[in-house]
């Protein structure tokens, strides 16, 4: 009887040890895989940063600006650039016919966990849309739109009010006036408004939601830029972190 108990104990111990080894190997593999994915993403974006040459010169609004010529040779979906001082946000902006394609692809069209920063497919950059929306993931290595969370800190908010936003046709200083957490139940990504009054109402709604009060004047005559990323603190699937800014053409 004692031998059977001992044998069972040994078998259980061996199985447990094997399971631990499998879990360790799998965890190590996953960690290494993610590490190299992050590393590759940083390298690919660094290549784009070398190709992009910002300029404040306003050219013909229906012709391509020189800043983007080299990048467009790689991918014609590159329609802009966004940069925020003292953050890792210094990236090309892409746009295609939906809001899904670049969730898991970089600007070289490679499969990427980090995806790309991309514009809402409804925006038309050859025109002066009232509301331009950019989306991006929040990566654990602080890349993509992870550091937008800094705008919930009052000191950072006040010191980093200007977001540099460049497009194929125009360049802007975007002045941040609102930042908050919400869910997709609130329609903060409207691109069509019935009239000036409905746009003014929308601006008032997003101002009131802000975690930090701003004295920036924003009216229905302004263009606004919205930066959107996920936020898991409110809801795993529907939670969002949102930053709004007023666009001032350079």
């Amino acid at each position: 009887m004692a031998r059977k108990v001992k044998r069972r104990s040994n078998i259980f111990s061996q199985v447990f040890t094997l399971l631990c080894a499998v879990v360790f190997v799998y965890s190590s593999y996953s960690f290494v895989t993610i590490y190299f994915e992050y590393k590759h993403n940083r390298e690919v974006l660094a290549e784009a940063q070398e190709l992009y040459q910002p300029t404040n010169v306003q050219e013909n609004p229906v012709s391509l600006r020189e800043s983007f010529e080299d990048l467009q040779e790689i991918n014609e979906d590159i329609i802009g650039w966004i940069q925020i001082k003292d953050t890792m946000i210094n990236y090309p902006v892409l746009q295609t016919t939906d809001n899904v394609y670049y969730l898991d692809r970089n600007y070289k069209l490679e499969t990427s966990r980090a995806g790309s920063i991309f514009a809402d497919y409804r925006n038309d950059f050859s025109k002066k849309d009232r509301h331009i929306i950019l989306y991006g993931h929040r990566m654990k290595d602080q890349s993509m739109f992870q550091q937008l969370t800094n705008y919930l800190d009052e000191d950072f908010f006040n010191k980093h009010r200007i977001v540099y936003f460049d497009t194929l046709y125009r360049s802007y200083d975007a002045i941040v006036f609102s930042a908050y957490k919400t869910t997709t139940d609130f329609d903060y990504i409207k691109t069509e408004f019935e009239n000036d009054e409905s746009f003014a109402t929308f601006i008032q709604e997003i101002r009131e939601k802000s975690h930090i009060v701003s004295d920036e004047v924003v009216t229905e005559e302004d263009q606004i830029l919205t930066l959107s990323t996920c936020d898991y603190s409110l809801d795993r699937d529907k939670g969002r972190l949102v930053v709004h800014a007023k666009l001032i053409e350079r």
Side-chain angles (χ1 to χ4, degrees):
M1 186 65 179
R3 289 182 177 179
K4 289 183 179 180
V5 172
K6 185 175 182 181
R7 188 179 302 122
R8 288 175 182 173
S9 177
N10 288 338
I11 292 173
F12 176 79
S13 178
Q14 291 172 0
V15 170
F16 180 75
T17 301
L18 179 60
L19 287 173
C20 288
V22 170
V23 170
F24 175 77
V25 171
Y26 177 77
S27 298
S28 299
Y29 172 78
S30 298
F31 176 81
V32 171
T33 300
I34 291 172
Y35 168 79
F36 280 106
E37 284 183 3
Y38 283 155
K39 182 174 182 292
H40 179 66
N41 186 54
R42 290 193 296 270
E43 291 172 346
V44 167
L45 290 170
E47 292 175 13
Q49 290 162 5
E50 290 182 2
L51 291 175
Y52 172 68
Q53 300 296 327
T55 174
N56 290 332
V57 176
Q58 296 301 307
E59 300 172 6
N60 189 326
V62 295
S63 64
L64 177 66
R65 298 174 69 214
E66 292 182 2
S67 306
F68 294 96
E69 288 181 351
D70 290 341
L71 289 170
Q72 283 239 314
E73 288 182 7
I74 298 173
N75 187 342
E76 292 184 350
D77 287 345
I78 297 175
I79 53 81
W81 195 276
I82 184 169
Q83 184 175 11
I84 301 177
K85 186 179 178 181
D86 298 328
T87 74
M88 292 176 67
I89 298 173
N90 184 23
Y91 303 131
V93 177
L94 292 98
Q95 185 186 43
T96 186
T97 55
D98 59 51
N99 289 340
V100 177
Y101 187 78
Y102 283 108
L103 281 171
D104 58 3
R105 290 177 177 84
N106 62 28
Y107 71 92
K108 289 187 172 182
L109 305 183
E110 301 169 331
T111 299
S112 169
R113 185 189 304 265
S116 297
I117 304 302
F118 62 93
D120 195 293
Y121 73 95
R122 297 169 294 177
N123 286 139
D124 184 348
F125 286 88
S126 67
K127 301 177 181 178
K128 292 187 177 182
D129 283 359
R130 274 182 156 170
H131 188 194
I132 295 172
I133 307 159
L134 306 185
Y135 305 95
H137 288 309
R138 289 176 62 178
M139 306 307 294
K140 291 182 178 180
D141 68 344
Q142 301 296 304
S143 65
M144 311 317 286
F145 271 174
Q146 169 65 35
Q147 291 178 303
L148 288 183
T149 57
N150 292 341
Y151 279 106
L152 299 179
D153 176 79
E154 187 169 7
D155 186 58
F156 183 91
F157 185 100
N158 291 328
K159 291 180 178 178
H160 299 81
R161 297 287 297 280
I162 296 179
V163 174
Y164 174 73
F165 181 51
D166 202 11
T167 76
L168 294 179
Y169 310 107
R170 303 173 181 89
S171 62
Y172 302 89
D173 284 333
I175 306 174
V176 175
F177 65 88
S178 179
Y180 55 90
K181 295 180 182 180
T182 187
T183 68
T184 52
D185 294 328
F186 173 58
D187 188 11
Y188 64 91
I189 58 170
K190 295 178 183 179
T191 57
E192 297 290 336
F193 300 89
E194 294 179 1
N195 48 45
D196 288 350
E197 289 73 21
S198 64
F199 187 49
T201 298
F202 175 73
I203 291 172
Q204 185 60 31
E205 288 176 340
I206 61 178
R207 288 190 74 108
E208 291 175 352
K209 281 183 170 290
S210 185
H211 184 70
I212 296 163
V213 177
S214 165
D215 59 2
E216 185 66 34
V217 176
V218 187
T219 75
E220 66 274 12
E221 296 180 358
D222 291 313
Q223 285 181 278
I224 62 173
L225 172 70
T226 291
L227 311 179
S228 174
T229 191
C230 293
D231 180 81
Y232 302 127
S233 63
L234 291 180
D235 187 284
R236 182 70 187 176
D237 298 316
K238 298 164 63 176
R240 296 292 185 270
L241 173 68
V242 186
V243 174
H244 300 288
K246 179 174 76 172
L247 289 170
I248 304 295
E249 190 170 343
R250 288 192 174 191

